[in-house]
Amino acid sequence: MTDALDLGRRRAPYRVKGWHVGAAVVGFFAVVIGVDAAFVTMALRTYPGEVSKTPYEDGVAFNRRLTQEAAQAELGWEAVAAAKPGAVEIELADRQGRPLAGLSVTARLSRPATEVGAQNLMLKEISPGVYAAPFAADGWWDLSAKAADRQGRTFEARRRLSWP
């Protein structure tokens, strides 16, 4: 018995034609371009790409920093910073490993992700070449220290410290 809808006609097998492939390619790229456009729009709305309000001044400061780092490398001073219980300690030595005594040492401690709670410290020499200041904290902190001698030579060091 034949199917009532068949009526004796057989359908031709489905064949993929050129326009099918073309439509699939166009559809694929339309989806990709649409998603990319949405992501670009969201990115530009949330972050305009402006990193600094003063890019020229930042560039000049960077060049000064490079000059300072070159002068610092000539000095050959080394710094070791440590997070001690209730204090921050910095040990400074010259190229030969001799302690650098009689320096003026300042430091700034700030959280890695925010300036909230940042502190400026004046470190005192507790033994030849070893400088310390009280600092009660926990967690990770970024240390930016600056040491200067009586001749005006300066040394800067940055370290990330952790207190339990």
Side-chain angles (χ1 to χ4, degrees):
M1 185 166 168
T2 62
D3 192 315
L5 295 177
D6 187 11
L7 302 176
R9 285 185 267 159
R10 296 257 164 163
R11 287 190 143 216
Y14 181 76
R15 304 182 101 200
V16 176
K17 297 183 178 162
W19 73 268
H20 292 117
V21 174
V25 169
V26 168
F28 170 78
F29 281 108
V31 169
V32 169
I33 290 169
V35 170
D36 285 349
F39 283 152
V40 167
T41 301
M42 287 187 285
L44 290 175
R45 285 183 182 162
T46 58
Y47 182 70
E50 185 177 86
V51 176
S52 172
K53 298 270 186 213
T54 57
Y56 174 76
E57 291 81 1
D58 294 346
V60 171
F62 179 73
N63 289 339
R64 268 187 263 140
R65 175 89 182 130
L66 291 177
T67 303
Q68 193 273 333
E69 285 179 0
Q72 184 169 302
E74 296 243 346
L75 279 176
W77 293 2
E78 296 290 327
V80 176
K84 303 287 183 174
V88 60
E89 189 175 286
I90 300 173
E91 186 175 343
L92 292 157
D94 66 8
R95 192 181 310 275
Q96 289 77 31
R98 296 182 301 240
L100 291 167
L103 301 178
S104 170
V105 181
T106 59
R108 178 169 177 80
L109 284 156
S110 60
R111 293 284 189 176
T114 180
E115 288 293 315
V116 174
Q119 295 184 30
N120 294 316
L121 305 172
M122 186 71 158
L123 285 78
K124 292 184 177 27
E125 191 168 9
I126 58 173
S127 66
V130 180
Y131 301 84
F135 184 71
D138 62 346
W140 291 95
W141 290 80
D142 286 338
L143 169 74
S144 179
K146 185 173 185 177
D149 65 4
R150 289 186 180 95
Q151 289 83 27
R153 299 178 297 184
T154 61
F155 177 83
E156 292 182 25
R158 289 174 176 72
R159 304 286 188 272
R160 181 159 288 174
L161 301 175
S162 174
W163 280 266

